[in-house]
Amino acid sequence: MMENLVQEPEADMDAPAELVKLLQLSDRREPAVTEIAVWVALGIIQGRLRPGQDLNSVQFAQQFGTSRTPVREALQILESDGLVEMRARKRPRVASFSPEQIREIFFLRAHLMSALAQKAAEKATDSDIAELNAIVESLRRYGSVGNDDRYLWVHYNFFDAIVTISGNGTARGILNSLFLQTLPVRQALSRPARLAESLDYAELILEAFQRRDGQMASLMVSRSIQAALEAIERGGLPSTERSVLSRAGGDWSAGPSRSNRTGGLSNVAAVE
């Protein structure tokens, strides 16, 4: 018997505004589409809906009290962002990614974000840097109390702000889609040590922006994304081979540590 996929959907609808933004749901006229899309997306992100798991549109319609049309539209939205697979004459299912596909996604994010970070750091205004500083302060606050859920979304805002500063609106859609596809494997990033490492990188990226140092901002963004991939690999992906990022260009394994934070970027530069 098909398991009950939708249990008390209202209890899970405290959706981050960032997720609604990523899925481009704010302008949807049919509330049921937003409700279903957010519930399924959160289920995938939180691990309630597993990779390859069938999604019963009839059951969704019954338990959300709607017709199948909003269900289909919601699942099509998630398909367009790579979270759901729609197959002819078969039930939709949660998308699954091979380890190599996950590495490829991180490879693309790293190279695109690093290019945008260089441009953004070189053109950032004092107001832009003040905004980044405020976001990093929020990261410090959420990291200090171990609120990994809010930390995740504020960190997304940090990178999104860099994209905004770069002025490349086309890249935003690409990066948002890639980011969504990484969410199902991000449980490994909620560990305290990983949050501390992520915060170190955010502070170094901010420092590079304060110096208007585009090359260093680019490097730190690349290393930040590489470090996230390595944490995910330690949490379950194969770790016997070098990742796509490392094969693509040099050894990016050196990263910040709390023992050498005093010197800021000068310490990072010293390991190059």
Side-chain angles (χ1 to χ4, degrees):
M1 179 180 296
M2 173 63 65
E3 64 180 300
N4 187 6
L5 295 179
V6 187
Q7 298 180 359
E8 299 182 5
E10 296 82 1
D12 293 281
M13 295 313 295
D14 186 18
E18 294 86 356
L19 180 58
V20 175
K21 175 183 175 181
L22 278 166
L23 296 174
Q24 300 180 38
L25 296 171
S26 58
D27 58 349
R28 292 282 162 185
R29 297 180 181 178
E30 176 58 66
V33 174
T34 297
E35 184 180 17
I36 296 166
V38 166
W39 192 91
V40 175
L42 283 176
I44 294 171
I45 293 167
Q46 296 167 355
R48 288 185 285 104
L49 301 176
R50 301 176 298 279
Q53 184 171 342
D54 283 347
L55 302 172
N56 188 330
S57 58
V58 174
Q59 186 179 35
F60 279 125
Q62 291 174 345
Q63 297 198 32
F64 279 94
T66 185
S67 69
R68 293 178 63 185
T69 300
V71 176
R72 284 195 297 270
E73 185 177 349
L75 295 180
Q76 286 168 353
I77 291 169
L78 299 179
E79 181 192 30
S80 70
D81 285 308
L83 293 178
V84 167
E85 296 175 356
M86 305 282 280
R87 304 165 295 164
R89 296 181 296 279
K90 292 183 180 180
R91 281 179 175 159
R93 66 184 181 187
V94 178
S96 355
F97 297 96
S98 69
E100 192 62 23
Q101 286 174 314
I102 293 169
R103 294 187 182 103
E104 289 169 355
I105 290 168
F106 274 85
F107 171 80
L108 291 173
R109 287 192 69 237
H111 280 267
L112 186 51
M113 270 305 311
S114 63
L116 296 180
Q118 178 165 354
K119 180 179 180 181
E122 292 170 352
K123 65 180 290 190
T125 65
D126 290 344
S127 176
D128 292 330
I129 293 174
E131 179 184 1
L132 292 177
N133 186 68
I135 296 174
V136 171
E137 183 57 39
S138 293
L139 289 174
R140 294 187 188 109
R141 183 169 65 255
Y142 290 121
S144 67
V145 297
N147 188 339
D148 51 279
D149 286 335
R150 279 311 303 160
Y151 186 97
L152 167 68
W153 295 112
V154 173
H155 195 274
Y156 159 76
N157 286 335
F158 183 57
F159 273 31
D160 190 59
I162 292 173
V163 175
T164 298
I165 296 168
S166 78
N168 193 324
T170 301
R172 171 173 282 108
I174 299 170
L175 285 164
N176 283 349
S177 182
L178 292 171
F179 177 76
L180 278 167
Q181 292 174 57
T182 69
L183 289 176
V185 296
R186 284 182 169 263
Q187 291 87 349
L189 304 184
S190 63
R191 297 165 184 163
R194 171 55 199 157
L195 290 183
E197 179 185 47
S198 172
L199 179 57
D200 275 338
Y201 276 116
E203 291 175 340
L204 289 170
I205 293 167
L206 174 62
E207 189 173 342
F209 268 78
Q210 291 168 336
R211 296 185 180 191
R212 307 307 200 274
D213 188 337
Q215 290 187 344
M216 188 58 71
S218 174
L219 178 62
M220 289 300 98
V221 165
S222 295
R223 286 187 171 178
S224 174
I225 295 173
Q226 167 70 4
L229 173 60
E230 290 173 351
I232 290 169
E233 287 181 325
R234 289 194 298 270
L237 293 184
S239 57
T240 55
E241 61 177 341
R242 296 294 299 276
S243 71
V244 173
L245 284 167
S246 298
R247 293 199 302 268
D251 183 3
W252 297 2
S253 59
S257 66
R258 296 217 172 248
S259 62
N260 68 359
R261 283 289 294 122
T262 305
L265 289 174
S266 60
N267 280 327
V268 176
V271 304
E272 291 299 317

